[in-house]
Amino acid sequence: MEWVCNNIGYEGLITVEPIGRSGGLALMWKEASQAGLLSFSVNHIDVVTKVNGMAAWRLTGIVGHQYTWEKGRGTNAWMEVRLDRVLTNEEWLKLFPLAKLHNTEGAPSDHSLIVLVPKRVAADATKRSV
């Protein structure tokens, strides 16, 4: 993971090693000083982030079972779906109204790569001309 992190231009990396061939988590960010580890386990990574003088905010990545939603178990219509998502609150959305989320399928994994790009409105763009 360190090689991947370096090759895409990220400085920060926290990994939780897989158990055998399953599991494993990674969290990467642009600048090493932007995040501090609070806790981790085989199912989560919890960090606090501080970017460009903004108030600190918390990011917790959680992974569950291979399939996190199912319907119709025991029938011909049984369906399983991965729910690899990002959850935010109203305060975070106000800080990053232009945030983008990229959820990509990874063939060798039973979970998706999630890329969260928190984007703010430029200060000049929020001012109106009189």
Side-chain angles (χ1 to χ4, degrees):
M1 288 306 301
E2 193 169 323
W3 181 87
V4 172
C5 191
N6 291 333
N7 280 296
I8 62 174
Y10 283 37
E11 295 177 1
L13 171 66
I14 296 171
T15 59
V16 177
E17 295 300 317
I19 299 171
R21 296 189 64 174
S22 64
L25 300 169
L27 176 65
M28 296 178 231
W29 59 96
K30 286 281 189 184
E31 296 176 24
S33 63
Q34 289 180 328
L37 181 63
L38 296 173
S39 66
F40 71 94
S41 73
V42 295
N43 294 325
H44 86 286
I45 298 175
D46 189 18
V47 298
V48 63
T49 67
K50 188 151 175 95
V51 181
N52 299 330
M54 294 174 42
W57 51 278
R58 191 172 187 170
L59 174 74
T60 306
I62 301 171
V63 64
H65 298 286
Q66 177 177 357
Y67 291 98
T68 50
W69 180 85
E70 65 179 292
K71 180 179 179 181
R73 181 183 284 260
T75 71
N76 289 336
W78 186 15
M79 182 185 322
E80 297 176 317
V81 178
R82 292 188 302 255
L83 296 179
D84 297 326
R85 303 285 187 261
V86 169
L87 303 174
T88 67
N89 62 21
E90 281 295 319
E91 289 179 43
W92 192 89
L93 288 173
K94 288 176 185 173
L95 284 173
F96 302 104
L98 301 177
K100 299 289 182 192
L101 177 69
H102 306 277
N103 195 328
T104 62
E105 293 289 329
S109 175
D110 58 358
H111 286 281
S112 300
L113 170 66
I114 298 174
V115 179
L116 177 62
V117 182
K119 290 187 177 182
R120 300 186 71 181
V121 176
D124 292 339
T126 60
K127 296 179 183 175
R128 294 185 178 191
S129 307
V130 178

